[in-house]
Amino acid sequence: MVWRIDLADETAQRLIDEGLNRYNIESEALHDVESLCLKAVDDRGVLQAGLKGRTWGQCAEVEQLWVDARYRRQGLGSRLMLAFEQSATKRSCKNIYLTTLSFQAPGFYLKLGFEELARVEAHGRHLDIVKFWMIKRLR
């Protein structure tokens, strides 16, 4: 058989995701995965911040943390992270892990007790970004 490798269009990308999801569902270890998402709304009920994550076994993963620009640096992100940590602890998690980019929030996570596990630096003509892998061990 001859294989041709091309850039994937949106349909192919969706099929790749679906194929990997089917494969992952067959894994016994992933049957424990549970979503853990939190939101912060203002007094009108409008979403102003949110944290998307999940737990599985004794691990918790922060996938995305977003705070509206008007409410950054006011403690809202820290409150969401604390609530996530408390929820993960109730689910018997022993650590929380995440990735973040240098222009996002590595300093924020370090202040919350995370430690850097690894980093990858990307340099180029218009690019100077570092990706961090971080972990926080829970008590």
Side-chain angles (χ1 to χ4, degrees), residues 86-137:
Q86 291 169 341
S87 297
T89 299
K90 287 179 185 173
R91 294 184 185 184
S92 301
C93 292
K94 301 295 183 200
N95 60 65
I96 299 173
Y97 65 91
L98 57 86
T99 63
T100 190
L101 299 172
S102 53
F103 64 86
Q104 292 174 327
F108 168 76
Y109 294 114
L110 289 170
K111 288 179 185 175
L112 293 178
F114 283 79
E115 60 184 271
E116 180 182 328
L117 288 174
R119 69 170 67 189
V120 173
E121 298 180 17
H123 302 287
R125 194 170 65 164
H126 300 289
L127 185 66
D128 192 16
I129 297 174
V130 179
K131 183 169 187 172
F132 296 90
W133 281 262
M134 304 182 99
I135 190 166
K136 181 175 184 179
R137 299 176 204 295

Side-chain angles (χ1 to χ4, degrees), residues 7-18:
L7 292 175
D9 59 15
E10 287 184 26
T11 300
Q13 291 177 43
R14 179 180 50 78
L15 292 172
I16 292 165
D17 286 341
E18 289 173 2

Side-chain angles (χ1 to χ4, degrees), residues 16-79:
I16 292 165
D17 286 341
E18 289 173 2
L20 182 58
N21 286 337
R22 278 193 308 276
Y23 175 80
N24 287 344
I25 286 170
E26 295 171 6
S27 171
E28 188 67 33
L30 294 184
H31 291 180
D32 290 340
V33 174
E34 289 184 68
S35 175
L36 181 50
C37 296
L38 304 166
K39 65 181 181 178
V41 297
D42 63 18
D43 55 2
R44 296 168 295 146
V46 177
L47 181 70
Q48 300 300 343
L51 191 158
K52 180 181 174 193
R54 60 188 174 180
T55 61
W56 56 278
Q58 294 182 329
C59 298
E61 177 183 15
V62 174
E63 296 174 289
Q64 295 183 19
L65 172 61
W66 166 77
V67 177
D68 184 279
R70 295 170 294 171
Y71 300 105
R72 291 181 189 150
R73 302 195 190 315
Q74 297 180 33
L76 188 51
S78 296
R79 289 180 58 198

